[in-house]
Amino acid sequence: MLRYVALRLLQGILVIFLVSVATFVIMHLAPGNPVDIMVGEAQVTQEQIDAIMRKWGFDRPLHEQYLTWLSNIVRGDFGQSVIRTGTPVSQMLQEAAPATVQLNILALSLAVMIAIPAGIFAATKRNSPFDFATMIGSTLGVALPNYWVGLMLIILFSLNLGWLPPFGATTWQGYVLPVAVLALGEMAVLARMSRGATMEVLNQDYVTTARAKGLTGRAVLVRHVVRNALLPVVTMLGYRLAFVLSGTIVVETIFAWPGIGRLFIDSVYRLDYQVVQAIVLVLSTLVVVGNLLTDLTYAYIDPRIRIR
Amino acid sequence: MATRQQALSTTAPLALNAAGRDQTTRRSRGWRRFRRYRPGLVGLAFIGLLLLVAIFAPLIAPYSPTEVATRLRGDPPSAAYVLGNDAVGRDILSRLIYGTRVALMVGLGATAIAVTIGVTVGATAGYFGGWVDAALSRLVDTLMAFPTLALLITLAAVLGPSLITVIVAIGTTVWASYARVVRADMLSLRERDYVLAARAAGARDGRIIFGHMLPNVLGPIVVLGSLSVGSIIILESALSFLGLGIQPPNPSWGGMLSDGRAYIRQFPHIAVAPGVLITVTVLAFNLIGDGLRDALDPRQRE
């Protein structure tokens, strides 16, 4: 186990390093130099431009810029936003993070609480009306673009009925629509997965044995089926992180949610290199760490994984 | 069932003459299985229709997709303009019809790129193993670490949004899952007797990979590919929705939704139809994928 943990940790660190290189390279594919974008329409002298160049290190070779950037990041310093008059990027991230974390935790909990029981129940009542409804719902849910669902809910609940505000995170009503939209896509995936996992377990010999020795349907379900079916589903949650974070970008943009996703889109529109870089790096690192923890949890619970 | 099929497929290539016949019967058996899944047929019919619409868009569209009619700004659906007009007075139905071209071009084009890269990388990693596998696998891990949409948005912003950018950016971003599937299959196929036999007969690596091994991995790739067209269409429309995909005034479903969002208070009807069409199209591709999975991928069958 220790060997496995060490190996996976090393791989994780290597991947994070590669992610940082990729991010840095992508941002420097941009045509035009950041100073021009930063200065914009303002009248500036050559001396001012030179000063900016020196201050941000744009005059040094790429690999040196990267090393400076990386060594700062390792110390928790993401540099300063060129466009937004020198606000530290880490400060912007810290201000935006809580809103995103809240939104995602609420949405994921909602999805888990509804979709997993629904999927398990659908599997035990195979081909029942409930099973069909669940499957149709999740098939449709996967196909629905979340930003469109968001728009339709705004039209219905905010503009026509006037029940909920179309955006903002200041009141509890403001949470309802973004949480619902973000939860919807995950629900579709989770319900399908937990239905599949449950059906697989239901076909196992030990379930037949449990039934044969006279356990009631409920006892078999709780003690043998659900516990075994939940394992792959719950660990799968860890691998969904990348998708959830993609969803949060769109949902935050639609509902003007003051989180990382909106900060990201804002910074993309302004070509604010430092911020875009930092956010892509932070999100990807989160995904790597999430996947790593999932792998390790899985290996801890299920020893078969360790032996490769 | 699964083991019997595998046994069949490993012994069949031994008889040289029977190999061709075996392929055609397998194909028709696949079609028979696919046909049994009704929703898959419905999906196929819808996509076929959509292809016709895309090809014959100029003949079908009642109006020009870009012609501006200021007096019709934001008009709701009427007899002459079945789905109404958008915020500058363009016919929504005609824009939807032309938008079909973008959706299918991006969906199919990006999938083709992703399959090509993913299969090549996966086959190389799985066949050669060792450090080649380790290096390529870390590359795949790295790609998978990025939230896809964040990476796409960054690429589109940096490279400048256009149809080609969108196709290439999506294609070069979503190939990792193909690589993983193909790698795993190649790892297990590598040890099969027929591969050893081909190697012993002096076949080159390329010939073994492409001629002998890849045909046995095609099923899962086709299934994965058909399932991913839908998600690629969603990604494209998300990019266009955010203003980083197809640029106005060119019609795209995501771009139309973006207009719909901008005028959501005054003209809420603009945002309805494009979303319905995206959903139905994605649904159709997913149903085809489900049908293909039933037909081609015995391991996944319930």
Side-chain angles (χ1 to χ4, degrees):
Chain A
M1 181 74 189
L2 205 67
R3 219 184 107 80
Y4 178 79
V5 174
L7 183 71
R8 294 292 291 114
L9 266 178
L10 275 178
Q11 284 179 352
I13 292 169
L14 182 62
V15 168
I16 290 174
F17 168 72
L18 291 174
V19 162
S20 77
V21 174
T23 316
F24 186 82
V25 170
I26 290 170
M27 290 314 296
H28 283 76
L29 294 175
N33 74 59
V35 182
D36 291 342
I37 297 162
M38 184 171 91
V39 172
E41 303 287 294
Q43 296 287 324
V44 284
T45 62
Q46 189 59 40
E47 283 81 54
Q48 282 172 293
I49 291 178
D50 290 347
I52 294 167
M53 283 294 264
R54 245 175 289 118
K55 181 174 174 197
W56 298 98
F58 294 136
D59 55 344
R60 277 176 288 159
L62 268 190
H63 66 273
E64 276 182 39
Q65 284 185 42
Y66 170 74
L67 285 179
T68 322
W69 178 71
L70 187 69
S71 66
N72 285 334
I73 283 173
V74 173
R75 280 184 267 114
D77 176 7
F78 285 95
Q80 281 128 314
S81 164
V82 180
I83 314 293
R84 295 171 171 95
T85 59
T87 315
V89 176
S90 55
Q91 184 194 328
M92 296 165 74
L93 289 178
Q94 272 169 23
E95 282 168 9
T100 297
V101 173
Q102 266 181 356
L103 177 66
N104 282 278
I105 287 183
L106 283 172
L108 261 188
S109 326
L110 184 70
V112 164
M113 280 189 305
I114 295 176
I116 292 184
I120 292 174
F121 191 70
T124 60
K125 306 273 181 223
R126 215 176 157 187
N127 295 330
S128 67
F130 182 82
D131 184 27
F132 279 119
T134 310
M135 282 318 282
I136 289 174
S138 81
T139 308
L140 203 62
V142 176
L144 282 167
N146 51 8
Y147 48 88
W148 182 62
V149 176
L151 292 183
M152 291 301 106
L153 293 180
I154 289 177
I155 291 178
L156 181 63
F157 290 106
S158 307
L159 303 180
N160 286 353
L161 298 172
W163 291 352
L164 298 164
F167 47 75
T170 44
T171 57
W172 70 266
Q173 288 98 331
Y175 281 72
V176 177
L177 292 182
V179 169
V181 172
L182 197 56
L184 191 85
E186 283 313 296
M187 252 190 263
V189 177
L190 274 179
R192 183 174 272 238
M193 253 164 20
S194 43
R195 177 176 176 272
T198 310
M199 279 195 316
E200 205 161 288
V201 176
L202 281 173
N203 287 332
Q204 297 287 323
D205 289 340
Y206 58 77
V207 174
T208 318
T209 312
R211 288 230 176 90
K213 74 183 184 188
L215 280 185
T216 58
R218 177 182 289 267
V220 173
L221 196 64
V222 173
R223 237 183 277 168
H224 296 277
V225 177
V226 171
R227 292 176 83 177
N228 284 300
L230 276 184
L231 180 65
V233 175
V234 171
T235 45
M236 254 307 167
L237 272 179
Y239 300 125
R240 293 289 304 165
L241 196 57
F243 299 90
V244 178
L245 291 174
S246 278
T248 208
I249 295 173
V250 174
V251 171
E252 286 182 19
T253 307
I254 296 175
F255 293 101
W257 196 260
I260 300 279
R262 201 178 60 153
L263 178 64
F264 176 68
I265 291 287
D266 271 356
S267 308
V268 166
Y269 288 155
R270 297 181 185 200
L271 288 180
D272 196 342
Y273 285 12
Q274 307 278 333
V275 182
V276 172
Q277 251 175 0
I279 292 180
V280 172
L281 191 62
V282 167
L283 293 185
S284 313
T285 308
L286 273 179
V287 173
V288 176
V289 172
N291 289 358
L292 186 63
L293 288 179
T294 312
D295 283 350
L296 295 183
T297 317
Y298 211 99
Y300 176 73
I301 301 172
D302 188 345
R304 281 172 300 185
I305 305 289
R306 275 175 255 161
I307 304 154
R308 294 205 304 171
Chain B
M1 174 81 186
T3 48
R4 199 168 8 126
Q5 270 205 340
Q6 275 166 3
L8 265 180
S9 65
T10 47
T11 51
L14 285 180
L16 208 68
N17 216 357
R21 218 179 309 142
D22 179 67
Q23 281 238 313
T24 45
T25 52
R26 237 200 282 173
R27 210 170 291 153
S28 66
R29 199 193 307 148
W31 168 242
R32 252 205 319 282
R33 284 211 205 97
F34 180 81
R35 228 171 29 184
R36 241 183 287 155
Y37 182 68
R38 279 284 155 71
L41 281 182
V42 176
L44 195 63
F46 182 79
I47 298 305
L49 193 74
L50 215 56
L51 267 173
L52 291 179
V53 169
I55 294 169
F56 298 110
L59 299 177
I60 300 168
Y63 302 95
S64 148
T66 47
E67 197 190 336
V68 172
T70 331
R71 68 198 158 79
L72 297 170
R73 284 195 64 196
D75 272 9
S78 63
Y81 298 88
V82 184
L83 293 173
N85 300 80
D86 71 5
V88 292
R90 294 172 296 206
D91 177 41
I92 291 183
L93 178 62
S94 302
R95 287 180 71 71
L96 278 183
I97 290 173
Y98 275 90
T100 309
R101 293 181 159 184
V102 170
L104 291 181
M105 265 196 282
V106 176
L108 300 175
T111 302
I113 295 178
V115 167
T116 310
I117 303 177
V119 168
T120 310
V121 171
T124 312
Y127 180 78
F128 290 105
W131 68 267
V132 178
D133 179 30
L136 289 177
S137 291
R138 293 298 83 70
L139 186 69
V140 170
D141 288 350
T142 307
L143 193 58
M144 285 204 137
F146 289 103
T148 310
L149 193 59
L151 186 55
L152 279 180
I153 289 171
T154 312
L155 281 174
V158 165
L159 300 175
S162 76
L163 180 64
I164 299 298
T165 309
V166 171
I167 295 177
V168 173
I170 296 181
T172 48
T173 307
V174 300
W175 54 266
S177 49
Y178 299 97
R180 282 210 173 159
V181 170
V182 173
R183 171 186 172 269
D185 281 357
M186 292 296 266
L187 275 177
S188 73
L189 285 181
R190 198 163 61 146
E191 312 300 331
R192 294 284 174 82
D193 289 340
Y194 73 90
V195 175
L196 286 179
R199 203 174 293 153
R204 288 167 198 271
D205 290 333
R207 192 185 163 92
I208 298 176
I209 294 176
F210 292 101
H212 296 270
M213 294 167 79
L214 269 185
N216 289 300
V217 196
L218 275 185
I221 298 173
V222 170
V223 173
L224 203 58
S226 61
L227 285 172
S228 79
V229 176
S231 57
I232 287 177
I233 289 178
I234 290 192
L235 282 175
E236 180 274 315
S237 59
L239 276 180
S240 298
F241 176 72
L242 294 169
L244 294 161
I246 312 305
Q247 293 302 292
N250 293 328
S252 74
W253 298 343
M256 295 175 72
L257 283 181
S258 166
D259 292 346
R261 180 184 175 226
Y263 293 92
I264 198 166
R265 280 173 198 280
Q266 298 102 303
F267 316 125
H269 72 273
I270 296 175
V272 177
V276 174
L277 200 53
I278 295 173
T279 309
V280 176
T281 307
V282 174
L283 189 64
F285 274 113
N286 288 353
L287 292 177
I288 295 177
D290 285 345
L292 285 174
R293 175 161 49 201
D294 286 355
L296 298 177
D297 197 353
R299 285 169 306 178
Q300 302 263 329
R301 205 171 303 145
E302 286 171 4

